[in-house]
Amino acid sequence: GQNIDQPTEMTATEGAIVQINCTYQTSGFNGLFWYQQHAGEAPTFLSYNVLDGLEEKGRFSSFLSRSKGYSYLLLKELQMKDSASYLCAVGNTDKLIFGTGTRLQVFP
Amino acid sequence: SAVISQKPSRDICQRGTSLTIQCQVDSQVTMMFWYRQQPGQSLTLIATANQGSEATYESGFVIDKFPISRPNLTFSTLTVSNMSPEDSSIYLCSVELGGLGGRNFGPGTRLTVT
């Protein structure tokens, strides 16, 4: 079966660093994606990992370990506008399977 | 990346009726995907729509309940049939993003069934 797990909710303070973890067990794998979704809006693409290691993109970085079925999204220098849900998704052949999502609240 | 529009953006419907959601893409795409996002939940894939063939449905979703059309490479419709309050969700149309296997999403259709 397919299983993608993330913490349900996290809180952090403006200016801090937060790490959102994602573990997965899927029948196939051709990449791991992170999406950001603000309330009432569609998800927007943040990052993509297909090889092990860290991908850095400005304030956001994403890490993948395929052998451990594990990824994390690292958000630095948090801003209030980063309050949103963060969705981990695994590519499996031509399908994209989403995790449960992590709702992040950033406080001043 | 492709720009996707959906109509309607939201609707309130009565139990037992049907609603057809339209998805228009500004470029030709091979596959279009329909997702559902129930309140407070993540995204669940309903079906994959290829032009010129029947849609492929995921476990738990059937053609009689969610018929899909894909008449050309830029357009698709999803119908939610014989609606019940449990169908209240956001329905999102999606296309492939840049060949990586990711997805670009339309703005969604917020459906409330009373």
Side-chain angles (χ1 to χ4, degrees):
Chain A
Q2 322 278 26
N3 203 36
I4 303 173
D5 287 322
Q6 305 176 233
T8 305
E9 289 195 5
M10 298 183 72
T11 59
T13 307
E14 200 173 12
I17 299 173
V18 71
Q19 177 175 313
I20 302 174
N21 295 325
C22 171
T23 57
Y24 64 90
Q25 285 180 301
T26 56
S27 56
F29 179 88
N30 56 7
L32 189 133
F33 302 80
W34 283 95
Y35 282 81
Q36 180 189 60
Q37 186 177 26
H38 285 101
E41 299 181 12
T44 55
F45 171 79
L46 284 180
S47 71
Y48 167 70
N49 295 70
V50 66
L51 299 176
D52 290 353
L54 189 68
E55 293 281 341
E56 296 189 75
K57 221 179 185 184
R59 293 190 300 114
F60 294 1
S61 304
S62 57
F63 172 83
L64 175 66
S65 168
R66 288 172 296 170
S67 62
K68 294 181 180 176
Y70 169 68
S71 173
Y72 67 72
L73 180 70
L74 193 71
L75 293 78
K76 303 176 189 173
E77 301 168 18
L78 280 171
Q79 302 174 9
M80 297 297 291
K81 67 178 182 179
D82 297 328
S83 292
S85 289
Y86 291 86
L87 308 175
C88 169
V90 173
N92 186 352
T93 58
D94 60 357
K95 298 180 186 178
L96 191 62
I97 303 162
F98 283 84
T100 49
T102 299
R103 187 174 165 189
L104 173 67
Q105 287 186 282
V106 180
F107 292 100
Chain B
S1 57
V3 176
I4 307 170
S5 59
Q6 284 184 237
K7 284 197 284 191
S9 58
R10 59 178 64 229
D11 208 340
I12 301 173
C13 301
Q14 288 196 335
R15 181 195 297 261
T17 62
S18 298
L19 176 72
T20 295
I21 302 167
Q22 299 179 7
C23 177
Q24 180 76 52
V25 189
D26 70 345
S27 57
Q28 293 185 339
V29 293
T30 305
M31 290 192 287
M32 295 176 77
F33 307 90
W34 286 98
Y35 285 85
R36 180 173 76 179
Q37 187 171 30
Q38 294 180 301
Q41 305 293 314
S42 189
L43 282 75
T44 303
L45 180 64
I46 297 172
T48 301
N50 290 329
Q51 193 264 336
S53 63
E54 289 232 347
T56 303
Y57 289 82
E58 296 302 303
S59 174
F61 298 97
V62 295
I63 188 171
D64 289 347
K65 176 68 176 177
F66 297 101
I68 287 172
S69 79
R70 183 78 202 276
N72 58 52
L73 291 173
T74 63
F75 186 79
S76 178
T77 67
L78 170 77
T79 299
V80 186
S81 303
N82 188 24
M83 288 184 284
S84 67
E86 293 71 38
D87 295 320
S88 296
S89 285
I90 300 173
Y91 291 85
L92 295 137
C93 172
S94 174
V95 301
E96 280 192 312
L97 177 66
L100 297 176
R103 298 285 181 267
N104 197 23
F105 288 90
T109 296
R110 186 178 294 269
L111 170 63
T112 302
V113 183
T114 60

